[in-house]
Each structure stands twice: as C-alpha cells, then as structure tokens.
Amino acid sequence: MSPLRSIGRRLARFLAKPRERSSHLPTSPPHLLAATLRKGDVLLVEGSSRFATAIKYLTQSTWSHAALCIGDTLGPPAPGEEPRIFVDVDVVEGVRTIPLSTFSNLHVRICRPVGLSEDEIDALVRFMLERKGITYDLKNIFDLARYLVRTPPVPGSMKRQLLALGSGEPTKAICSTLLAQAFASIRYPILPEIERVDTGTKGGQRARREILRIRHHSLYVPRDFDVSPFFQIVKPRLAQGFDHNALVWQA
C-alpha cells in the first residue's frame, strides 16, 4: 500500500468516527421502515460522524448520506445474519451491501422514484452491485478534511461547487455521485431540466454554464433526492396507516 493511500485510510477511519451523539430520535421505528421500503428507494441518512458534519455544512442540509434499497436481490441471508437490503458507499469500506440495522437510531427519509418498471429497477440495482468493492475517492477524503480543521466562511452560492471533489476516476466513488450515475444509466432525472436560458447576456451565459455543471454527476449531493420533483417522499408512519384518533395522549 502506498504511503498516500495508507494516510488516506487512517484519515477515513478518523472521519468515520461519531463527532457527537445525534440529537434527533429516529422518526420511524425499524419495523415500519422495513415494511415501507421498496426496491429502488433511496434512503437519506442524517449521520453524526465527523465526515457527516462536513457534508451537512457544505450542503446546508440535514442529509449527509444516501443508500439504495435493493430489497431481496441478494436472496436469503446466511443463518444468523441480517438480510443486506442496501448498497451504499462507505468512507472506509467503499461500495458495500449492508442491513437496515446499519442506520438504526438515525434520522432517515425514504425518497422513491416514480413510474420505474421492474426492468429499470433491476438495471438500477445491477449498476450499483456491479461496483461493489470500489473504494471511496481518496481526494474527496482529503478535501473534506479541510472543513474539520477550520470551517471557512463559504458563501452559499459556492458550496455546491466546493463539492465537485474527487478525482473522477472510474475506480473511485462517493455515495451521491454513484447514485446519480446509476439513475443516469436508466435515464431517470434527479434535478429538473431547465429548458430556456437567455444566453444573449453575460449573466445568461454564466447561468447556462452553471446549469451544465450541476448536471454533472460529481455535483449531486444527498439533499438533491429530497428536493427533487421526481422523487416521492414516503413516510412510514403514514404509509402503514396512521390514525390520529388512536393516539394515547398524556393527561
């Protein structure tokens, strides 16, 4: 292992450690979350690690991580093991498959693409699984570490551009980047296309260049699935049947 990679792995393990206890209780009990999730859903996670802190600062968002639900694609688990129903990109392990319990006690949100056929969902899952074992982008780790040493006063308009990190190598990945590539592979949108831009002025030309940059997969972040008009927000308590009259209030 090269010295740079060795340093990167040690830095990744440092960033992955919790910085603080999460101040949010999970909004959905695990059994309701499990009953509501469908293959093809994107699960957004509010992490509490040092790494998550940097992501949330740069995106000005609750969400620091995203994972794809693959359902029962991997078949029944081995005896004594939990079913691995997600594929995600971990800062230490790279692209991996994980059980739902990985996100226990964390605030999460289900974002569901609408109108996908079974074949399209299978292609989406296959795209992610074929990249299992790909390591996390080392340059991304070094870049994000800067914001934990000293948090710079970054203008809001620049924060998305600062997330155009990473080397862009096909053998490297970050969570939202890989998901953006997966949805692009089946031609499913995340952010809306802007049809008209006035390119007759310098301001219009700058806007057009910015739109083109945002379309690049390296600039997608977890919150984009939340604000996307093409993903339905699914709340397990409502999806599984909520009756406010059944609540027991303390007198």
Side-chain angles (χ1 to χ4, degrees), residues 207-219:
R208 183 176 185 277
R209 287 195 296 271
E210 180 65 18
I211 289 168
L212 292 175
R213 281 200 296 271
I214 289 175
R215 289 298 167 268
H216 193 267
H217 60 78
S218 67
L219 277 176

Side-chain angles (χ1 to χ4, degrees), residues 37-38 47 58 82 126 131 137 148 191 214 235 245:
L37 280 163
R38 294 182 189 171
L58 286 176
E82 296 180 78
R126 187 165 57 250
R131 284 146 184 83
D137 197 319
L148 301 175
L191 291 178
I214 289 175
K235 300 187 176 183
N245 293 309

Side-chain angles (χ1 to χ4, degrees), residues 119-160:
D119 288 344
E120 288 173 319
I121 293 174
D122 287 342
L124 182 69
V125 171
R126 187 165 57 250
F127 182 98
M128 296 290 286
L129 289 176
E130 285 174 351
R131 284 146 184 83
K132 186 177 177 182
I134 289 177
T135 57
Y136 200 93
D137 197 319
L138 197 63
K139 186 177 184 298
N140 189 264
I141 293 171
F142 284 116
D143 285 342
L144 285 174
R146 295 177 304 170
Y147 299 97
L148 301 175
V149 176
R150 181 181 178 185
T151 302
V154 181
S157 61
M158 293 179 59
K159 284 173 179 168
R160 180 179 288 274

Side-chain angles (χ1 to χ4, degrees), residues 15 18 37 46 53 106 109 119-120 141 143 145 151-152 165 177-178 195 203 211 228-229:
L15 293 176
L37 280 163
E46 180 182 12
T53 299
L106 293 175
R109 171 164 292 171
D119 288 344
E120 288 173 319
I141 293 171
D143 285 342
T151 302
L165 306 171
T177 290
L178 189 60
E195 296 179 358
I211 289 168
S228 170

Side-chain angles (χ1 to χ4, degrees), residues 29-30 32-45 65-75 82-90 93-104 106-112 124-126 128-130 132-133 175 178-179 236:
L32 287 184
L33 188 60
T36 306
L37 280 163
R38 294 182 189 171
K39 186 177 176 181
D41 285 350
V42 173
L43 188 73
L44 302 183
V45 183
H65 189 68
L68 181 74
C69 179
I70 60 174
D72 59 358
T73 300
L74 298 180
E82 296 180 78
R84 292 177 175 263
I85 65 169
F86 291 105
V87 58
D88 77 337
V89 187
D90 178 68
E93 299 179 27
V95 183
R96 59 181 184 166
T97 54
I98 50 175
L100 178 59
S101 62
T102 303
F103 304 126
S104 61
L106 293 175
H107 181 37
V108 298
R109 171 164 292 171
I110 298 173
C111 299
R112 179 168 296 163
L124 182 69
V125 171
R126 187 165 57 250
M128 296 290 286
L129 289 176
E130 285 174 351
K132 186 177 177 182
C175 67
L178 189 60
L179 276 170

